[in-house]
Amino acid sequence: MNMCKISLALWCLLVASSLRAQNTAKEVTHQQLVWYGYNNTLELSERWSINVEVEERRFINPDEQHQFLTRGQARYTLGKGWEAAAGFAYFLQSPHDPHAAVKLVVPELRPHLQLDYKQPLHKLTIAHRYRAERRYFRNTADGELAEGYTSNYRFRYRLSLEYPLLKIGQQPLKAKLNNELMFNAGKNITNNRFDQNRIYLGLSYPVHKNVSVEAGYLKWFQQSASGYQFYDRDILRFIVSHRVDLKRKEAE
């Protein structure tokens, strides 16, 4: 429980920092989006697995793409609730304004390192995710892509709660609540050390022994590079998760 107390104290400090950032907002743009995603996990052995995500993020009104991403990572179980991962993501970033006249799509390359820690507490599962990212943004000039990349670091902490509400048939319907805070670092960061805060509430249900569906609401508050402009986004999120147990097939 000491680890839980430390993480909760860190989470409270980060929340306080994000709230201060929100209170100093001078310009806030409100947007509505919908995210569609597919998550696949290949269980290679008792300790090793590979995870692949694909996600399409779109504005609702008007219907325009905001982001497309694909992410892969190798995960290794350390034991006693700990898991380590290393991965890489490829992003396509469309303009933050869906009404923008120039629809330039900017690629981003993003390697990361990650630690996960899960704590069962009766029926409740508490999970902590610590992620460090290096973000490489394609350069632009005169409204077009240019040669080379600029980069910065980002550090993320997510606290998640999962609780089974009831059984439908033989499977549990689970409620999920999490909060994630992100902070930027690097020589190119001047006005937005605080990057964003995401609060999520969702429901998850297994429709098959290896397939589950999830739907939820995400509140995304993000600071722009200017330091005084913010985005306040309301997001509907739909995810299909699929697990493939390759270690069992090897045994057979």
Side-chain angles (χ1 to χ4, degrees), residues 96-128:
H96 290 302
D97 180 4
H99 300 281
V102 179
K103 305 292 185 181
L104 181 64
V105 178
V106 181
E108 177 189 343
L109 310 178
R110 190 188 299 178
H112 73 268
L113 296 174
Q114 181 175 308
L115 277 175
D116 293 90
Y117 181 57
K118 286 187 177 181
Q119 300 171 284
L121 186 62
H122 303 293
K123 292 185 178 182
L124 180 68
T125 299
I126 305 172
H128 312 266

Side-chain angles (χ1 to χ4, degrees), residues 21-78:
Q22 294 181 37
N23 290 333
T24 58
K26 296 180 180 179
E27 294 182 12
V28 179
T29 301
H30 297 272
Q31 297 174 330
Q32 293 77 43
L33 297 93
V34 59
W35 291 4
Y36 305 100
Y38 172 74
N39 189 323
N40 179 269
T41 300
L42 302 177
E43 297 179 348
L44 304 178
S45 67
E46 293 297 331
R47 289 187 177 271
W48 284 101
S49 64
I50 294 176
N51 178 255
V52 177
E53 304 170 53
V54 179
E55 197 164 278
E56 171 77 0
R57 301 173 176 179
R58 303 191 67 84
F59 293 105
I60 292 178
N61 187 22
D63 178 29
E64 295 284 349
Q65 185 184 73
H66 182 223
Q67 295 173 328
F68 172 82
L69 73 93
T70 179
R71 177 185 290 113
Q73 59 179 351
R75 306 177 68 91
Y76 181 75
T77 300
L78 301 172

Side-chain angles (χ1 to χ4, degrees), residues 135-249:
R135 307 179 69 190
Y136 295 89
F137 304 94
R138 182 71 177 269
N139 291 329
T140 61
D142 299 323
E144 297 182 354
L145 296 179
E147 294 294 326
Y149 289 80
T150 57
S151 68
N152 64 267
Y153 296 93
R154 187 166 68 180
F155 300 96
R156 307 168 59 163
Y157 170 67
R158 187 181 73 186
L159 175 64
S160 303
L161 305 176
E162 183 179 276
Y163 188 83
L165 297 175
L166 54 90
K167 277 193 174 183
I168 301 177
Q170 299 299 317
Q171 301 296 334
L173 177 68
K174 295 182 179 180
K176 295 185 176 182
L177 173 65
N178 64 58
N179 188 78
E180 183 172 22
L181 290 131
M182 309 182 197
F183 288 84
N184 295 314
K187 63 180 181 180
N188 296 317
I189 303 300
T190 55
N191 300 316
N192 61 326
R193 296 292 179 184
F194 165 77
D195 178 46
Q196 60 184 269
N197 183 40
R198 298 180 183 179
I199 300 175
Y200 175 74
L201 177 64
L203 295 173
S204 174
Y205 182 75
V207 295
H208 184 269
K209 64 178 181 179
N210 293 324
V211 180
S212 65
V213 294
E214 183 175 327
Y217 166 76
L218 177 69
K219 187 70 169 179
W220 179 7
F221 189 83
Q222 182 180 27
Q223 185 178 27
S224 71
S226 67
Y228 66 89
Q229 295 171 312
F230 292 78
Y231 294 97
D232 187 355
R233 299 184 174 110
D234 298 298
I235 301 167
L236 296 176
R237 186 171 181 262
F238 302 96
I239 301 293
V240 175
S241 298
H242 182 202
R243 301 185 71 86
V244 180
D245 189 354
L246 296 180
K247 64 181 185 297
R248 177 173 56 83
K249 293 181 179 180

